[in-house]
């Protein structure tokens, strides 16, 4: 195992990200769907994620999506010149930068789009918009189809420096709504109505994110969806396999590995001693008395990974018992190998841990290619 001078270390496997991006692009291409690679949540203080964007583009993603202007700016400075989507509905305070640094934005407010039109005119640029339809998840988007279509026609006919590029939707975020043939067919039908009214085919019908990939795989994605915005399914690729239970051997799940050091190793009771009150976060977890256990105290905490259970030890027989801001408690009683003070324990990072660890200033980031 590679050794480092400062733990915890987050290893980011660029080859694995390329491999997954290619697998996702290939499965989508079969259904005539293009993929925007979403890099949000994968940048850090030390390294920009322009390298991750480059892997996605190299693998065939036609554009890059990100939710924050500051990181989009950095990608531009590092010469990512592919089309960039701003995937969060823009703030009024960032519209100048939206026009300067992005090519396409997802939108749901006509007042914002009018303001974008004015700034695009001032910058002598054209900007593309995708109108978001809320199909029940209740985050961003028009909830009334008629209102979306009315605004689409207004953009097409009245706004010279904005191109009506398409329609899109987002599911599975606030309302936990599953994308399916029915709700996505609604999006296709809205796109068809707009295309008929404007006398040209809309370029983009964007049917969601990673959570729409199962429909691509099982063939139930409606014809007419021609674009997806995929982040987690490329970089981390855990949700569809860990949560949905899909078997996707073509997607690597170990692109983000956290390596952390053992700072104490002792036999301790598994049930706390004394009056159980609240933990450091005001919660009272449940404890089970499993007798005396061998515990490894790991220098990795909620400050580094968020939910302590979003890291999975790559150590046969080890279980995460819990943790606090700076510590993770690992039961190593049943491990085949002997765990000692100073050992480095590898953990696979789920999406939440990946986001926290990339932003944590006390986690060293290391790009690898294996
Ligand atoms: C985060 C996000 C995505 C990407 O979602 P994944 O689940 O990471 O694939 C796509 N579109 C929008 C609007 C998003 O906010």
């Amino acid at each position: 195992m590679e050794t480092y001078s400062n733990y915890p270390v987050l290893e980011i496997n660029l080859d694995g990200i390329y491999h997954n991006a290619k697998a996702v692009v290939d499965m989508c291409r079969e259904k005539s769907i293009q993929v925007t690679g979403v890099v949000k949540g994968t940048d850090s203080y030390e390294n920009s994620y322009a390298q991750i964007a480059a892997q996605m583009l190299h693998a065939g993603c036609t554009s890059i999506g990100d939710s924050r202007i500051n990181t989009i700016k950095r990608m531009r400075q590092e010469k990512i010149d592919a089309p960039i989507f701003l995937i969060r509905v823009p703030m009024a305070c960032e519209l100048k930068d939206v026009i300067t640094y992005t090519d396409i934005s997802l939108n749901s407010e006509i007042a914002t789009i009018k303001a974008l039109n004015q700034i695009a005119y001032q910058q002598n640029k054209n900007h593309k918009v995708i109108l978001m339809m809320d199909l029940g998840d209740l985050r961003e988007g028009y909830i009334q189809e008629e209102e979306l279509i009315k605004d689409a026609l207004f953009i097409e006919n009245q706004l010279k420096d904005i191109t009506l590029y398409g329609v899109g939707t987002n599911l599975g975020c606030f309302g936990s709504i599953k994308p399916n043939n029915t709700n996505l067919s609604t999006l296709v039908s809205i796109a068809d109505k707009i295309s008929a009214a404007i006398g040209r085919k809309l370029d983009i019908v964007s049917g969601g994110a990673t959570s729409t990939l199962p429909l691509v795989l099982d063939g139930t994605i409606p014809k007419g969806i021609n674009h997806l915005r995929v982040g987690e399914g490329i970089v981390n690729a855990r949700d569809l396999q860990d949560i949905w239970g899909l078997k996707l051997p073509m997607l690597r799940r170990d692109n983000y590995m956290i390596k952390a050091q053992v700072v104490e190793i002792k036999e301790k009771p598994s049930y706390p001693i004394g009056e159980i009150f609240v933990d450091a976060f005001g919660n009272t977890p449940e404890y089970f008395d499993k007798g005396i256990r061998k515990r490894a105290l790991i220098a990795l905490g909620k400050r580094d990974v968020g939910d302590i259970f979003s890291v999975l030890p790559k150590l046969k027989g080890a279980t995460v018992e819990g943790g606090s801001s700076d510590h993770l408690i690992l039961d190593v009683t049943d491990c085949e190998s002997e765990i000692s003070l100073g050992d480095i324990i590898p953990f696979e990072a789920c999406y939440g841990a990946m986001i926290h660890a990339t932003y944590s200033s006390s986690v060293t980031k290391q790009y690898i290619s294996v």
Side-chain angles (χ1 to χ4, degrees), residues 134-138 170-180 183 211 244:
D134 188 336
L135 294 172
D137 199 59
L138 309 183
N170 195 70
L171 292 157
C173 275
F174 172 72
S176 318
I177 296 300
K178 203 172 172 177
N180 59 26
N183 50 31
S211 57
W244 294 58

Side-chain angles (χ1 to χ4, degrees), residues 38 40 67 87-88 106 132 139-140 169-170 173 208-211 229-233 239 351:
V38 174
K40 105 181 151 199
S67 52
I87 59 169
R88 182 172 68 184
L106 309 186
M132 296 299 278
R139 200 179 72 179
E140 77 274 50
T169 195
N170 195 70
C173 275
T210 297
S211 57
R229 314 171 303 270
V230 182
E232 197 279 337
D239 287 1
Y351 191 70

